[in-house]
Amino acid sequence: MGRMITIKALKYNPNSKVSKAHFAKYELEETPGMTLFIALSKIREEMDHDLSFDFVCRAGICGSCGMMINGVPKLACRTLTKDYKDGVIQLMPMPAFKLIKDLSVNTGEWMEGMSKRVESWIHTNEEIDFTKLERPIEPDVAQEVFEIDRCVECGICVAACGTKLMRPNFVGAVGLNRVARFYADPQDNRTDEDYYELVGDDDGVFGCMSLLACEDNCPKHLPLQSKIAYMRRKLVALR
Amino acid sequence: MSNLIEGFLGKSAEGKKSRMPAKLDYWQSATGLILALFMWGHMFFDSSILISKDLMYHISKMFEGVPLIKGGNPAIVSVAVAIIITIIVIHAALGMRKLPTKYREYQVFRTHMKMMKHEDTTLWFIQALTGFAMFFLASAHLITILTNPGDIGPFASADRVVSGWMWPLYILLLLAVVLHGNIGLYRLCVKWGWFEGKDTKASRAKLKKLQWAIIAFFLVMGFAALAVYINIGLEHRDQIGQRYQPTAINIKNISSKTYSKDVNRDMNAETSFRALVAMNFSGIHFQKKGA
């Protein structure tokens, strides 16, 4: 028999007039290799059918299950309950995003807005002829773009960011990382001036206070510190 | 006209963003760097008292222009202070843009910080707090020096600390400036990618270690120096206003083959021969007091 663990989850439905925010307490037996995804599924099946939370891939790929686990934003599916020595785990929804209910937040809507804001698509005047071979890209350059492009939009960098919590209009590490991704991509013809128009203000790269909780909590270990510093240097150098 | 349009719309008539936010970010960092390095230098000069009163005396005289100006001119110190005040005002104006301005901003940041327990987030809050404190602490200190530039020396400074009741302010200012400035230097490195190298995680861990080592070093040195000033100030309580006179080789007592440390010697009573010897040995020019 495994040890008993306690999960305290914030329950609140902002759309209900009677819902009152409170922590619900669940006690369950830990099983070998138990992740929070397994624990929460068990709670919903056996104890509380009303508990809301998000999961899709349960393998750290989709980025749906970000939540505040003992105060730290993490992917619940990649968090093992055994890593919490005292067996008490407090769960809260990620801040900065619209709360749907309990642990479920709407990251998608925010990410869509961010993508539009930084114009997250290739800007080129080139006519693409699909019957011809693509223009080759240097492997090193392609690798750099792929590296930055591994972002799964889980929202953890945003939920971790003290700047973002104080200044809701801040574009966040995910937005700046996205700009860096297109900046590195030779297929995108945007100039430094064009990128300045997107993030060259106090809600963009100059609003970042380098708290680096994004870098420290990114489940994909993206080089956020380095990329934000790079974009800052590039855009501050513009005359 | 274009300023009117830009001010009104938030973008130029051509629909472009202002370059000002970039400049403000740059100057916030640049003024911070200057002030942090100034603080380092300042701390070393202050702490020269740990080596000897003479060294501290000579350094304070050096900042008054000795040996280029005979006897030195304290106005030089005032000019330097005025420059530092200007840089501080610019840095404070730029830095306060980052501070929480509404209660809700403060509240959400504090909650987040306590909940997440993330070192760099907490360090930022310490920087914000110490930065705010220095609006007042640094101003009080700088105005004192600006208006009394000649009162820097082993006795004058110690009198200010003890009899002038500045020690409580200096304790707070020392804590604030050492934390704020050195956390700030670390943050400058990660913000602009200085010393980043190939492995960002490794270089950042090293920078963080260095930051803590430098903070510890300056706190130990700073408080040790402050303790020495307090000690001198207590001993010197009854002779407030009396200025330190540097030690000269005591030729009256040549058989002892030692340097005199009789600091309370009255130079007015010295023979001209003694003063001449002292001048030749130490390279210091004495001003006649009250002559």
Side-chain angles (χ1 to χ4, degrees):
Chain A
M1 187 177 155
R3 64 169 181 164
M4 293 302 285
I5 56 169
T6 304
I7 289 182
K8 287 190 261 176
L10 185 75
K11 288 202 75 180
Y12 176 56
N13 180 1
N15 293 318
S16 155
K17 281 194 174 126
V18 291
S19 171
K20 203 174 162 196
H22 67 283
F23 281 96
K25 211 164 151 187
Y26 309 102
E27 283 178 5
L28 65 160
E29 190 192 333
E30 190 175 45
T31 52
M34 184 183 242
T35 63
L36 270 175
F37 159 72
I38 296 169
L40 283 168
S41 300
K42 207 173 166 197
I43 290 168
R44 184 152 64 183
E45 266 174 42
E46 298 172 7
M47 301 181 201
D48 184 357
H49 305 305
D50 179 55
L51 180 66
S52 297
F53 53 87
D54 299 322
F55 282 95
V56 181
C57 80
R58 48 107 186 96
I61 299 163
C62 73
S64 303
C65 63
M67 58 183 73
M68 304 304 271
I69 305 172
N70 277 5
V72 181
K74 285 176 193 275
L75 292 180
C77 70
R78 279 189 13 182
T79 305
L80 293 166
T81 54
K82 76 171 168 64
D83 291 340
Y84 295 84
K85 298 292 171 229
D86 64 355
V88 180
I89 303 170
Q90 188 190 65
L91 302 177
M92 289 173 82
M94 285 197 294
F97 296 103
K98 194 173 143 195
L99 180 61
I100 298 172
K101 183 177 164 293
D102 305 339
L103 304 175
S104 173
V105 292
N106 192 341
T107 50
E109 193 179 25
W110 191 89
M111 290 295 170
E112 189 197 357
M114 177 278 297
S115 290
K116 286 179 183 161
R117 180 170 164 187
V118 302
E119 302 186 3
S120 178
W121 54 87
I122 295 281
H123 288 53
T124 178
N125 295 325
E126 219 174 306
E127 286 283 326
I128 306 292
D129 184 347
F130 290 103
T131 64
K132 293 201 174 113
L133 271 178
E134 275 184 278
R135 188 159 47 94
I137 294 177
E138 286 298 319
D140 289 352
V141 177
Q143 185 54 42
E144 197 198 334
V145 176
F146 292 152
E147 170 71 6
I148 315 174
D149 215 16
R150 291 186 301 110
C151 173
V152 293
E153 299 191 352
C154 62
I156 282 178
C157 58
V158 177
C161 179
T163 309
K164 165 73 186 164
L165 294 185
M166 276 204 295
R167 309 276 136 89
N169 214 21
F170 179 52
V171 71
V174 58
L176 297 171
N177 182 66
R178 190 64 55 82
V179 170
R181 179 246 174 273
F182 287 97
Y183 194 93
D185 192 336
Q187 296 181 90
D188 196 306
N189 295 334
R190 278 180 283 186
T191 60
D192 287 13
E193 278 81 3
D194 295 329
Y195 290 112
Y196 191 96
E197 292 306 314
L198 299 173
V199 290
D201 57 26
D202 286 339
D203 288 327
V205 72
F206 304 122
C208 166
M209 305 197 297
S210 308
L211 309 181
L212 296 183
C214 54
E215 163 96 6
D216 294 338
N217 291 296
C218 175
K220 291 287 162 184
H221 307 293
L222 293 171
L224 299 172
Q225 175 198 341
S226 170
K227 289 301 157 199
I228 296 171
Y230 179 73
M231 288 314 303
R232 191 192 300 270
R233 290 198 302 272
K234 286 289 169 195
L235 296 188
V236 94
L238 275 180
R239 289 291 146 232
Chain B
M1 201 59 187
S2 65
N3 274 347
L4 179 65
I5 290 172
E6 191 177 320
F8 186 76
L9 294 176
K11 55 188 177 184
S12 73
E14 289 76 38
K16 297 285 179 197
K17 265 186 182 156
S18 166
R19 290 280 190 263
M20 197 49 97
K23 289 189 182 123
L24 299 181
D25 199 36
Y26 175 85
W27 281 107
Q28 184 185 343
S29 292
T31 50
L33 178 66
I34 295 167
L35 290 171
L37 296 178
F38 167 78
M39 178 266 289
W40 279 12
H42 187 312
M43 296 283 295
F44 280 119
F45 299 135
D46 284 344
S47 304
S48 60
I49 199 76
L50 293 171
I51 295 171
S52 73
K53 291 194 186 96
D54 278 349
L55 182 65
M56 194 271 170
Y57 174 86
H58 293 320
I59 287 174
S60 63
K61 279 290 161 194
M62 185 181 83
F63 287 117
E64 291 179 10
V66 174
L68 295 175
I69 300 162
K70 206 177 170 195
N73 186 351
I76 297 171
V77 175
S78 284
V79 171
V81 174
I83 293 169
I84 293 298
I85 291 178
T86 310
I87 299 173
I88 287 184
V89 169
I90 295 170
H91 185 69
L94 296 174
M96 65 181 235
R97 299 173 308 144
K98 308 287 179 184
L99 299 177
T101 49
K102 295 178 206 140
Y103 173 65
R104 178 58 193 150
E105 291 173 0
Y106 171 83
Q107 184 193 36
V108 75
F109 192 93
R110 287 279 292 174
T111 306
H112 178 67
M113 179 183 91
K114 285 186 192 162
M115 196 167 86
M116 198 166 62
K117 298 183 182 71
H118 174 253
E119 189 180 3
D120 283 17
T121 301
T122 310
L123 286 179
W124 181 85
F125 190 78
I126 292 174
Q127 256 195 308
L129 209 70
T130 50
F132 181 74
M134 279 195 289
F135 281 137
F136 316 103
L137 300 174
S139 299
H141 171 54
L142 284 159
I143 294 298
T144 312
I145 306 301
L146 181 74
T147 51
N148 305 284
D151 291 351
I152 302 171
F155 288 164
S157 298
D159 285 345
R160 187 169 60 248
V161 169
V162 175
S163 304
W165 278 93
M166 290 298 257
W167 61 267
L169 182 124
Y170 285 155
I171 289 173
L172 295 175
L173 180 58
L174 181 61
L175 278 171
V177 78
V178 169
L179 287 171
H180 187 92
N182 292 310
I183 297 170
L185 285 174
Y186 160 79
R187 204 175 300 285
L188 280 183
C189 294
V190 294
K191 184 172 182 173
W192 295 96
W194 301 343
F195 313 109
E196 200 174 87
K198 282 215 172 81
D199 186 348
T200 320
K201 295 246 185 289
S203 62
R204 181 167 156 225
K206 275 185 201 154
L207 287 168
K208 177 61 70 59
K209 262 191 195 159
L210 195 63
Q211 173 219 280
W212 283 119
I214 292 172
I215 286 174
F217 171 75
F218 279 110
L219 283 181
V220 168
M221 187 173 77
F223 277 113
L226 189 57
V228 172
Y229 284 113
I230 289 173
N231 211 17
I232 298 172
L234 288 172
E235 283 172 8
H236 199 248
R237 237 181 326 193
D238 303 327
Q239 295 125 293
I240 301 167
Q242 187 209 40
R243 291 291 170 264
Y244 181 75
Q245 300 299 345
T247 320
I249 291 165
N250 191 344
I251 57 162
K252 277 180 196 162
N253 197 9
I254 203 154
S255 59
S256 73
K257 291 180 192 164
T258 52
Y259 292 100
S260 166
K261 291 283 177 190
D262 181 12
V263 289
N264 285 328
R265 189 189 316 114
D266 184 1
M267 287 305 286
N268 292 334
E270 300 294 332
T271 62
S272 57
F273 172 68
R274 164 99 190 274
L276 188 70
V277 171
M279 197 167 81
N280 287 339
F281 269 84
S282 64
I284 313 145
H285 304 267
F286 295 121
Q287 274 183 308
K288 272 193 178 162
K289 253 176 92 182

